Amino acid sequence: MNAVKQRIMNDSDEFTTWDGKAVASEPPHGASIIVYRKSGQGHEFLILHRGQQGPDFSGDWAWTPPSGARYPGESIEECARRELREETGFSLPMRRTELGSLEWVIYMAECPPSAQVDLSEEHDRYEWLPAAEAVARCRPRVAGNSIEAVAGKLAATRPS
């Protein structure tokens, strides 16, 4: 069983979120939205801290990019827009990337530098960090892989 299914399956083998909401049983199961903004040093990436285990929690899945499960009957695009809006308050143009998988889709979205994050109750804080720092904060490694991939994509398309 893959990591995505392990995270969202409960003891009854039903697909549910951490708070018991139904998750689409057919792929894709969800999406991550890699939100970035331009800064004086290049790009900064938004990561969110999950608040369920308290503000000092630093273990696996404590820090992630905005992301979440797709509900039954919901398109993956609707899922990504909903998760971004719920978790950050942002309604940004998003681009689907080829960086995800059949089970988990990766989007990228540029945020204006002045935009204010409006956290959901699920999260207790956020950080804007350079790619390497954001990736290091996200654990397990798979949680930060999408940030690293988008950072590489941005670097490859940067005008000379």
Side-chain angles (χ1 to χ4, degrees):
M1 184 180 299
N2 66 47
V4 171
K5 287 184 182 176
Q6 287 176 341
R7 279 191 42 225
I8 60 177
M9 288 182 72
N10 64 21
D11 293 335
S12 65
D13 291 336
E14 296 286 327
F15 284 95
T16 61
T17 61
W18 64 272
D19 57 353
K21 294 180 183 170
V23 173
S25 59
E26 70 284 343
H29 301 295
S32 293
I33 306 89
I34 309 308
V35 180
Y36 62 94
R37 67 183 184 187
K38 293 177 183 162
S39 74
Q41 286 74 43
H43 291 102
E44 295 177 319
F45 295 84
L46 178 64
I47 58 172
L48 310 175
H49 185 264
R50 296 186 190 284
Q52 292 83 15
Q53 295 183 345
D56 296 328
F57 178 62
S58 62
D60 286 355
W61 307 108
W63 290 95
T64 65
S67 56
R70 183 174 69 87
Y71 296 147
E74 183 178 48
S75 75
I76 194 62
E77 292 80 13
E78 290 169 325
C79 166
R81 282 192 302 273
R82 175 183 50 76
E83 287 293 342
L84 183 63
R85 187 178 56 257
E86 285 177 1
E87 294 190 349
T88 67
F90 294 155
S91 181
L92 301 170
M94 294 182 291
R95 291 182 292 171
R96 185 174 176 163
T97 73
E98 73 288 352
L99 304 170
S101 68
L102 175 65
E103 294 182 330
W104 204 264
V105 177
I106 307 299
Y107 288 85
M108 54 192 288
E110 184 173 0
C111 184
S114 62
Q116 297 297 308
V117 177
D118 182 15
L119 287 178
S120 69
E121 292 180 10
E122 181 181 352
H123 300 93
D124 56 15
R125 65 185 191 271
Y126 66 92
E127 298 268 351
W128 286 101
L129 298 171
E133 290 179 47
V135 170
R137 186 86 57 95
C138 295
R139 295 191 328 233
R141 178 80 170 116
V142 68
N145 285 348
S146 54
I147 296 170
E148 186 173 58
V150 168
K153 187 176 187 73
L154 290 169
T157 59
R158 193 174 319 162
S160 304

